[in-house]
Amino acid sequence: MRLTSARLIGALVLGIGCALLSTAHAQQDVKRQIGITTTDDKLLVTFSYKDVFTAPIKKKLKSGLPTRVVVRAFLEHRGKPVALWARSTSIVYDLWEEVFIVTDEDNRGRRKARAKSATEAIN
């Protein structure tokens, strides 16, 4: 099944928009920029979820409690799912080591990293 580029882009932008709307409680009137590039058989969408981390949320990152952000981008055609991409990021501050443990999980697998600051952890 082939979708026209306009429908494909429209459906994807709608899906990403809906997924990012779930973060609206963190900050109102947020401007988000989404980049879209197409080729004959590929669609590349770029966006950032950093704006979810407002100053109060960054401060709460040091509490030691886990903070999780889940981003989902999906594409539907006639009400049926055609494609789905999801990424989960978990940030936990290790109070003893005084570092942030960042765990990213998506279709490429699970990756862990350490960060020295909240800003570094969300980048």
Side-chain angles (χ1 to χ4, degrees):
M1 164 178 50
R2 292 200 63 102
L3 296 173
T4 65
S5 292
R7 283 186 180 179
L8 185 66
I9 291 170
L12 188 60
V13 169
L14 178 63
I16 291 172
C18 290
L20 291 176
L21 280 177
S22 65
T23 64
H25 71 281
Q27 187 175 8
Q28 294 193 0
D29 298 326
V30 175
K31 293 182 182 179
R32 290 183 173 85
Q33 207 167 32
I34 298 175
I36 300 175
T37 305
T38 60
T39 63
D40 291 336
D41 62 345
K42 291 183 183 175
L43 177 68
L44 177 64
V45 179
T46 57
F47 56 91
S48 174
Y49 62 85
K50 293 179 198 174
D51 56 352
V52 172
F53 293 94
T54 60
I57 292 174
K58 279 185 187 178
K59 187 176 179 181
K60 287 181 182 181
L61 287 177
K62 279 196 128 181
S63 72
L65 297 173
T67 299
R68 179 167 296 216
V69 175
V70 178
V71 178
R72 294 177 298 184
F74 57 91
L75 180 61
E76 289 183 349
H77 179 63
R78 296 182 182 172
K80 296 189 179 192
V82 177
L84 168 70
W85 174 86
R87 180 178 183 179
S88 171
T89 298
S90 175
I91 302 172
V92 180
Y93 184 67
D94 184 327
L95 298 166
W96 298 107
E97 297 287 326
E98 297 183 338
V99 295
F100 293 88
I101 309 299
V102 181
T103 306
D104 288 320
E105 192 168 357
D106 59 19
N107 62 334
R108 295 179 296 165
R110 178 181 271 194
R111 296 164 306 284
K112 278 193 169 191
R114 295 166 85 80
K116 295 177 183 176
S117 69
T119 302
E120 187 181 324
I122 63 173
N123 282 329

Short mmCIF file of all heavy atoms in Angstrom, two decimals, residues 47-88:
data_model
loop_
_atom_site.label_atom_id
_atom_site.label_comp_id
_atom_site.label_asym_id
_atom_site.label_seq_id
_atom_site.Cartn_x
_atom_site.Cartn_y
_atom_site.Cartn_z
N PHE A 47 12.72 15.93 15.75
CA PHE A 47 12.12 16.80 16.75
C PHE A 47 12.85 16.59 18.07
O PHE A 47 13.60 15.64 18.23
CB PHE A 47 10.61 16.54 16.91
CG PHE A 47 10.28 15.12 17.25
CD1 PHE A 47 10.20 14.71 18.56
CD2 PHE A 47 10.06 14.20 16.23
CE1 PHE A 47 9.89 13.39 18.87
CE2 PHE A 47 9.75 12.89 16.53
CZ PHE A 47 9.67 12.48 17.85
N SER A 48 12.62 17.48 19.02
CA SER A 48 13.28 17.40 20.31
C SER A 48 12.24 17.42 21.41
O SER A 48 11.23 18.10 21.31
CB SER A 48 14.22 18.59 20.49
OG SER A 48 14.77 18.60 21.79
N TYR A 49 12.49 16.68 22.47
CA TYR A 49 11.58 16.70 23.61
C TYR A 49 12.18 17.45 24.79
O TYR A 49 11.64 17.44 25.89
CB TYR A 49 11.17 15.28 24.03
CG TYR A 49 12.31 14.40 24.48
CD1 TYR A 49 12.77 14.43 25.78
CD2 TYR A 49 12.90 13.52 23.60
CE1 TYR A 49 13.80 13.61 26.19
CE2 TYR A 49 13.93 12.71 23.99
CZ TYR A 49 14.38 12.75 25.29
OH TYR A 49 15.41 11.95 25.68
N LYS A 50 13.27 18.17 24.58
CA LYS A 50 13.94 18.88 25.67
C LYS A 50 13.06 19.94 26.32
O LYS A 50 13.21 20.23 27.50
CB LYS A 50 15.22 19.53 25.16
CG LYS A 50 16.28 18.56 24.76
CD LYS A 50 17.48 19.33 24.27
CE LYS A 50 18.38 18.43 23.46
NZ LYS A 50 19.47 19.18 22.87
N ASP A 51 12.14 20.53 25.55
CA ASP A 51 11.32 21.61 26.11
C ASP A 51 10.34 21.11 27.17
O ASP A 51 9.76 21.89 27.91
CB ASP A 51 10.58 22.38 25.03
CG ASP A 51 9.73 21.51 24.15
OD1 ASP A 51 9.80 20.27 24.26
OD2 ASP A 51 8.97 22.05 23.32
N VAL A 52 10.19 19.81 27.30
CA VAL A 52 9.35 19.24 28.36
C VAL A 52 10.00 19.49 29.72
O VAL A 52 9.32 19.67 30.72
CB VAL A 52 9.17 17.72 28.14
CG1 VAL A 52 8.48 17.08 29.32
CG2 VAL A 52 8.41 17.47 26.86
N PHE A 53 11.31 19.55 29.74
CA PHE A 53 12.06 19.71 30.98
C PHE A 53 12.17 21.18 31.36
O PHE A 53 13.17 21.83 31.11
CB PHE A 53 13.44 19.07 30.86
CG PHE A 53 13.39 17.58 30.72
CD1 PHE A 53 13.40 16.99 29.47
CD2 PHE A 53 13.30 16.78 31.84
CE1 PHE A 53 13.34 15.62 29.35
CE2 PHE A 53 13.24 15.41 31.72
CZ PHE A 53 13.26 14.82 30.48
N THR A 54 11.14 21.69 32.00
CA THR A 54 11.14 23.07 32.49
C THR A 54 12.07 23.16 33.69
O THR A 54 12.53 22.14 34.22
CB THR A 54 9.72 23.49 32.89
OG1 THR A 54 9.27 22.61 33.93
CG2 THR A 54 8.76 23.43 31.70
N ALA A 55 12.33 24.37 34.15
CA ALA A 55 13.22 24.56 35.31
C ALA A 55 12.75 23.78 36.54
O ALA A 55 13.56 23.11 37.20
CB ALA A 55 13.37 26.04 35.62
N PRO A 56 11.44 23.81 36.89
CA PRO A 56 11.00 23.02 38.05
C PRO A 56 11.20 21.51 37.87
O PRO A 56 11.56 20.81 38.82
CB PRO A 56 9.52 23.35 38.18
CG PRO A 56 9.33 24.65 37.46
CD PRO A 56 10.35 24.65 36.37
N ILE A 57 11.02 21.02 36.66
CA ILE A 57 11.20 19.59 36.42
C ILE A 57 12.68 19.23 36.49
O ILE A 57 13.06 18.21 37.04
CB ILE A 57 10.57 19.16 35.08
CG1 ILE A 57 9.05 19.28 35.18
CG2 ILE A 57 10.98 17.75 34.70
CD1 ILE A 57 8.31 19.03 33.90
N LYS A 58 13.54 20.09 35.94
CA LYS A 58 14.99 19.85 36.05
C LYS A 58 15.40 19.78 37.52
O LYS A 58 16.23 18.95 37.90
CB LYS A 58 15.78 20.96 35.36
CG LYS A 58 15.89 20.82 33.88
CD LYS A 58 16.80 21.92 33.36
CE LYS A 58 16.83 21.95 31.86
NZ LYS A 58 17.69 23.04 31.36
N LYS A 59 14.82 20.63 38.34
CA LYS A 59 15.15 20.63 39.77
C LYS A 59 14.71 19.32 40.42
O LYS A 59 15.41 18.75 41.24
CB LYS A 59 14.47 21.82 40.45
CG LYS A 59 14.87 22.02 41.88
CD LYS A 59 14.24 23.27 42.45
CE LYS A 59 14.63 23.45 43.91
NZ LYS A 59 14.02 24.63 44.49
N LYS A 60 13.53 18.81 40.02
CA LYS A 60 13.02 17.55 40.58
C LYS A 60 13.86 16.35 40.15
O LYS A 60 13.82 15.31 40.80
CB LYS A 60 11.57 17.35 40.15
CG LYS A 60 10.61 18.25 40.87
CD LYS A 60 9.19 17.98 40.44
CE LYS A 60 8.23 18.93 41.13
NZ LYS A 60 6.84 18.68 40.75
N LEU A 61 14.61 16.47 39.05
CA LEU A 61 15.45 15.36 38.61
C LEU A 61 16.44 14.95 39.70
O LEU A 61 16.83 13.79 39.78
CB LEU A 61 16.20 15.72 37.33
CG LEU A 61 15.39 15.79 36.04
CD1 LEU A 61 16.27 16.23 34.89
CD2 LEU A 61 14.74 14.45 35.72
N LYS A 62 16.86 15.88 40.53
CA LYS A 62 17.84 15.58 41.58
C LYS A 62 17.23 14.91 42.80
O LYS A 62 17.93 14.61 43.77
CB LYS A 62 18.56 16.85 42.01
CG LYS A 62 19.68 17.24 41.08
CD LYS A 62 20.57 18.24 41.74
CE LYS A 62 21.99 17.74 41.63
NZ LYS A 62 22.95 18.63 42.25
N SER A 63 15.94 14.63 42.78
CA SER A 63 15.28 14.02 43.94
C SER A 63 15.68 12.56 44.13
O SER A 63 15.52 12.02 45.22
CB SER A 63 13.76 14.09 43.77
OG SER A 63 13.33 13.18 42.77
N GLY A 64 16.16 11.93 43.09
CA GLY A 64 16.47 10.50 43.18
C GLY A 64 15.34 9.63 42.68
O GLY A 64 15.51 8.43 42.46
N LEU A 65 14.16 10.21 42.48
CA LEU A 65 13.03 9.45 41.93
C LEU A 65 13.16 9.39 40.41
O LEU A 65 13.61 10.35 39.79
CB LEU A 65 11.70 10.11 42.32
CG LEU A 65 11.40 10.14 43.81
CD1 LEU A 65 10.15 10.98 44.07
CD2 LEU A 65 11.24 8.75 44.36
N PRO A 66 12.78 8.28 39.80
CA PRO A 66 12.90 8.17 38.34
C PRO A 66 11.95 9.12 37.61
O PRO A 66 10.82 9.33 38.03
CB PRO A 66 12.54 6.72 38.04
CG PRO A 66 12.10 6.11 39.31
CD PRO A 66 12.28 7.08 40.42
N THR A 67 12.45 9.70 36.54
CA THR A 67 11.65 10.53 35.64
C THR A 67 11.68 9.84 34.28
O THR A 67 12.75 9.50 33.79
CB THR A 67 12.25 11.95 35.51
OG1 THR A 67 12.25 12.54 36.80
CG2 THR A 67 11.43 12.79 34.55
N ARG A 68 10.51 9.62 33.71
CA ARG A 68 10.43 8.92 32.43
C ARG A 68 9.69 9.77 31.42
O ARG A 68 8.63 10.31 31.71
CB ARG A 68 9.72 7.59 32.58
CG ARG A 68 9.59 6.84 31.25
CD ARG A 68 9.19 5.45 31.49
NE ARG A 68 10.29 4.84 32.22
CZ ARG A 68 10.68 3.59 32.06
NH1 ARG A 68 10.06 2.82 31.24
NH2 ARG A 68 11.67 3.11 32.76
N VAL A 69 10.24 9.86 30.21
CA VAL A 69 9.61 10.55 29.09
C VAL A 69 9.45 9.52 27.98
O VAL A 69 10.41 8.84 27.61
CB VAL A 69 10.46 11.73 28.59
CG1 VAL A 69 9.84 12.36 27.35
CG2 VAL A 69 10.63 12.76 29.68
N VAL A 70 8.23 9.41 27.48
CA VAL A 70 7.96 8.48 26.38
C VAL A 70 7.46 9.31 25.20
O VAL A 70 6.52 10.09 25.34
CB VAL A 70 6.90 7.43 26.77
CG1 VAL A 70 6.59 6.51 25.59
CG2 VAL A 70 7.38 6.63 27.96
N VAL A 71 8.11 9.14 24.06
CA VAL A 71 7.71 9.82 22.83
C VAL A 71 7.27 8.75 21.84
O VAL A 71 7.99 7.78 21.62
CB VAL A 71 8.87 10.65 22.24
CG1 VAL A 71 8.45 11.30 20.93
CG2 VAL A 71 9.34 11.68 23.23
N ARG A 72 6.09 8.95 21.29
CA ARG A 72 5.58 8.01 20.29
C ARG A 72 5.24 8.78 19.02
O ARG A 72 4.59 9.82 19.08
CB ARG A 72 4.33 7.30 20.78
CG ARG A 72 4.58 6.39 21.94
CD ARG A 72 3.31 5.79 22.42
NE ARG A 72 2.46 6.90 22.88
CZ ARG A 72 1.28 6.76 23.44
NH1 ARG A 72 0.80 5.56 23.62
NH2 ARG A 72 0.58 7.78 23.83
N ALA A 73 5.66 8.26 17.90
CA ALA A 73 5.29 8.82 16.60
C ALA A 73 4.61 7.67 15.85
O ALA A 73 5.14 6.57 15.79
CB ALA A 73 6.51 9.31 15.84
N PHE A 74 3.44 7.94 15.33
CA PHE A 74 2.73 6.88 14.63
C PHE A 74 2.12 7.42 13.36
O PHE A 74 1.91 8.61 13.20
CB PHE A 74 1.66 6.26 15.54
CG PHE A 74 0.66 7.25 16.05
CD1 PHE A 74 -0.51 7.52 15.37
CD2 PHE A 74 0.90 7.92 17.24
CE1 PHE A 74 -1.43 8.43 15.85
CE2 PHE A 74 -0.01 8.83 17.73
CZ PHE A 74 -1.18 9.09 17.03
N LEU A 75 1.84 6.51 12.48
CA LEU A 75 1.26 6.84 11.18
C LEU A 75 0.07 5.92 10.95
O LEU A 75 0.20 4.71 11.08
CB LEU A 75 2.31 6.64 10.08
CG LEU A 75 1.91 6.93 8.65
CD1 LEU A 75 1.50 8.40 8.50
CD2 LEU A 75 3.07 6.64 7.73
N GLU A 76 -1.06 6.52 10.67
CA GLU A 76 -2.27 5.74 10.40
C GLU A 76 -2.76 6.05 8.99
O GLU A 76 -2.60 7.15 8.49
CB GLU A 76 -3.38 6.10 11.39
CG GLU A 76 -3.14 5.62 12.78
CD GLU A 76 -4.30 5.95 13.70
OE1 GLU A 76 -5.19 6.71 13.31
OE2 GLU A 76 -4.31 5.42 14.82
N HIS A 77 -3.34 5.05 8.40
CA HIS A 77 -3.98 5.20 7.09
C HIS A 77 -5.35 4.55 7.18
O HIS A 77 -5.46 3.36 7.47
CB HIS A 77 -3.14 4.55 6.00
CG HIS A 77 -3.75 4.65 4.64
ND1 HIS A 77 -3.98 5.86 4.02
CD2 HIS A 77 -4.18 3.71 3.78
CE1 HIS A 77 -4.52 5.64 2.85
NE2 HIS A 77 -4.66 4.34 2.68
N ARG A 78 -6.38 5.37 7.01
CA ARG A 78 -7.76 4.89 7.11
C ARG A 78 -8.03 4.21 8.44
O ARG A 78 -8.66 3.16 8.52
CB ARG A 78 -8.09 3.98 5.95
CG ARG A 78 -8.04 4.70 4.62
CD ARG A 78 -8.42 3.80 3.50
NE ARG A 78 -8.30 4.56 2.26
CZ ARG A 78 -8.41 4.03 1.08
NH1 ARG A 78 -8.64 2.75 0.95
NH2 ARG A 78 -8.29 4.78 0.01
N GLY A 79 -7.50 4.80 9.50
CA GLY A 79 -7.75 4.29 10.84
C GLY A 79 -6.95 3.07 11.24
O GLY A 79 -7.11 2.56 12.34
N LYS A 80 -6.06 2.61 10.38
CA LYS A 80 -5.24 1.44 10.71
C LYS A 80 -3.78 1.85 10.81
O LYS A 80 -3.29 2.64 10.00
CB LYS A 80 -5.40 0.36 9.64
CG LYS A 80 -6.82 -0.18 9.59
CD LYS A 80 -6.91 -1.38 8.70
CE LYS A 80 -8.36 -1.85 8.73
NZ LYS A 80 -8.53 -3.13 8.14
N PRO A 81 -3.07 1.32 11.81
CA PRO A 81 -1.66 1.69 11.97
C PRO A 81 -0.81 1.19 10.82
O PRO A 81 -0.95 0.05 10.38
CB PRO A 81 -1.26 1.01 13.28
CG PRO A 81 -2.27 -0.04 13.52
CD PRO A 81 -3.52 0.38 12.82
N VAL A 82 0.05 2.07 10.32
CA VAL A 82 0.96 1.72 9.22
C VAL A 82 2.39 1.66 9.75
O VAL A 82 3.16 0.80 9.36
CB VAL A 82 0.85 2.75 8.08
CG1 VAL A 82 1.83 2.45 6.97
CG2 VAL A 82 -0.57 2.79 7.53
N ALA A 83 2.73 2.58 10.66
CA ALA A 83 4.08 2.62 11.22
C ALA A 83 4.02 3.19 12.62
O ALA A 83 3.16 4.00 12.94
CB ALA A 83 4.98 3.47 10.34
N LEU A 84 4.96 2.74 13.45
CA LEU A 84 5.05 3.22 14.83
C LEU A 84 6.51 3.30 15.22
O LEU A 84 7.31 2.42 14.88
CB LEU A 84 4.32 2.27 15.79
CG LEU A 84 4.57 2.49 17.27
CD1 LEU A 84 3.91 3.78 17.74
CD2 LEU A 84 4.06 1.33 18.08
N TRP A 85 6.86 4.37 15.92
CA TRP A 85 8.18 4.51 16.51
C TRP A 85 7.98 5.04 17.92
O TRP A 85 7.17 5.93 18.15
CB TRP A 85 9.03 5.49 15.70
CG TRP A 85 10.36 5.77 16.34
CD1 TRP A 85 11.50 5.05 16.20
CD2 TRP A 85 10.67 6.85 17.22
NE1 TRP A 85 12.51 5.61 16.95
CE2 TRP A 85 12.02 6.73 17.59
CE3 TRP A 85 9.92 7.90 17.74
CZ2 TRP A 85 12.64 7.61 18.44
CZ3 TRP A 85 10.56 8.78 18.61
CH2 TRP A 85 11.91 8.64 18.94
N ALA A 86 8.70 4.50 18.86
CA ALA A 86 8.60 4.96 20.24
C ALA A 86 9.98 4.97 20.88
O ALA A 86 10.84 4.15 20.55
CB ALA A 86 7.66 4.06 21.04
N ARG A 87 10.16 5.92 21.79
CA ARG A 87 11.41 5.99 22.55
C ARG A 87 11.07 6.34 23.98
O ARG A 87 10.28 7.24 24.26
CB ARG A 87 12.34 7.06 21.97
CG ARG A 87 13.64 7.17 22.73
CD ARG A 87 14.53 8.18 22.10
NE ARG A 87 15.80 8.25 22.78
CZ ARG A 87 16.78 9.04 22.42
NH1 ARG A 87 16.64 9.82 21.38
NH2 ARG A 87 17.90 9.05 23.09
N SER A 88 11.68 5.63 24.89
CA SER A 88 11.49 5.87 26.31
C SER A 88 12.83 6.28 26.91
O SER A 88 13.84 5.62 26.68
CB SER A 88 10.98 4.58 26.97
OG SER A 88 10.99 4.72 28.37
#
